Amino acid sequence: YLIIDEINRGNIAKIFGELITLIEKDKRESLSCVLPYSHKPFTMPGNLYLIGTMNTSDRSIALLDTALRRRFAFIEINPDASIVERFHPTIGGNVSPSRLLQELNIRITEKVDRDHRIGHSYFLGDDLVTKYDLFNVWYYKILPLLMEYFYNDTKQVSEIVGKAFFDIKNGESIQLSLKPDDSGISRFEAALMAIYEGGV
């Protein structure tokens, strides 16, 4: 098999060239073309699988044209909170990343569309263990992504993540404290938990 990562980022017509016909199931091993540089005949083997990945939120990238779409089967891979739950039931002992992911994606879908949902990979990895790790993921990956979706409109983003993370008047994000209170929960963790516990 051949994997072409982010296939929609390239010029598909140039990438495939004469192969565009040969990759069809009924043309493999029966039809050949002459390669432009070697001038040798080439036939696509029947046992070669072409796998192309693409991120549907990349709206700046041209979508695949109809000629190419009919030569591929499409499989949608959705964000899967159960994977996060399996690897990280909680982060720092308090925040449930799987519930946070689910709630964020519900709100993003309602406000934008389902193509802009946050993937589960943001909450996976051996380096995501403490509340400090979660703090870095939240402030330096997830919030910037949401700000990009909404063209830096903090009011719109705060409707998804809650007002605790933004100074709406100045349009700036607020880095909440990681210092635990008497219950052992920091302001940062409490604000995240409020997203999925209905406190936003």
Side-chain angles (χ1 to χ4, degrees), residues 58-128:
D58 289 338
R59 291 304 183 197
S60 60
I61 309 300
L63 296 176
L64 301 182
D65 64 26
T66 308
L68 192 64
R69 287 187 74 89
R70 69 172 180 259
R71 289 169 168 87
F72 282 87
F74 282 77
I75 301 170
E76 184 177 34
I77 300 175
N78 294 307
D80 190 345
S82 68
I83 296 173
V84 178
E85 179 68 24
R86 190 163 65 244
F87 286 95
H88 299 298
T90 62
I91 294 178
N94 294 315
V95 178
S96 168
S98 62
R99 291 179 66 191
L100 178 61
L101 176 65
Q102 283 179 310
E103 185 59 32
L104 286 173
N105 283 336
I106 288 170
R107 295 178 185 194
I108 290 168
T109 300
E110 290 171 352
K111 204 153 188 58
V112 192
D113 58 42
R114 60 196 309 275
D115 287 337
H116 286 79
R117 291 172 296 172
I118 295 171
H120 49 259
S121 63
Y122 282 98
F123 295 103
L124 295 175
D126 295 334
D127 56 346
L128 188 60

Side-chain angles (χ1 to χ4, degrees), residues 25-190:
K25 190 175 180 179
D26 60 340
K27 305 292 192 304
R28 291 178 176 224
E29 298 180 344
S30 63
L31 190 67
S32 65
C33 72
V34 176
L35 296 175
Y37 294 108
S38 66
H39 302 290
K40 294 180 179 178
F42 177 79
T43 302
M44 181 68 75
N47 63 350
L48 176 66
Y49 289 87
L50 297 176
I51 301 171
T53 68
M54 58 188 291
N55 188 337
T56 54
S57 67
D58 289 338
R59 291 304 183 197
S60 60
I61 309 300
L63 296 176
L64 301 182
D65 64 26
T66 308
L68 192 64
R69 287 187 74 89
R70 69 172 180 259
R71 289 169 168 87
F72 282 87
F74 282 77
I75 301 170
E76 184 177 34
I77 300 175
N78 294 307
D80 190 345
S82 68
I83 296 173
V84 178
E85 179 68 24
R86 190 163 65 244
F87 286 95
H88 299 298
T90 62
I91 294 178
N94 294 315
V95 178
S96 168
S98 62
R99 291 179 66 191
L100 178 61
L101 176 65
Q102 283 179 310
E103 185 59 32
L104 286 173
N105 283 336
I106 288 170
R107 295 178 185 194
I108 290 168
T109 300
E110 290 171 352
K111 204 153 188 58
V112 192
D113 58 42
R114 60 196 309 275
D115 287 337
H116 286 79
R117 291 172 296 172
I118 295 171
H120 49 259
S121 63
Y122 282 98
F123 295 103
L124 295 175
D126 295 334
D127 56 346
L128 188 60
V129 179
T130 69
K131 61 184 177 182
Y132 301 99
D133 301 328
L134 182 58
F135 182 92
N136 289 328
V137 167
W138 181 257
Y139 279 107
Y140 303 117
K141 292 185 178 179
I142 294 175
L143 281 187
L145 178 67
L146 293 174
M147 291 294 283
E148 185 179 323
Y149 286 168
F150 292 97
Y151 305 98
N152 292 322
D153 185 340
T154 52
K155 185 175 183 295
Q156 295 270 1
V157 178
S158 69
E159 290 175 8
I160 291 174
V161 301
K163 295 178 181 175
F165 293 103
F166 291 100
D167 179 346
I168 304 299
K169 186 177 180 181
N170 296 322
E172 297 174 354
S173 66
I174 300 171
Q175 292 199 346
L176 299 175
S177 173
L178 283 167
K179 185 178 179 181
D181 60 17
D182 294 338
S183 65
I185 299 174
S186 66
R187 284 188 63 213
F188 169 69
E189 293 169 292

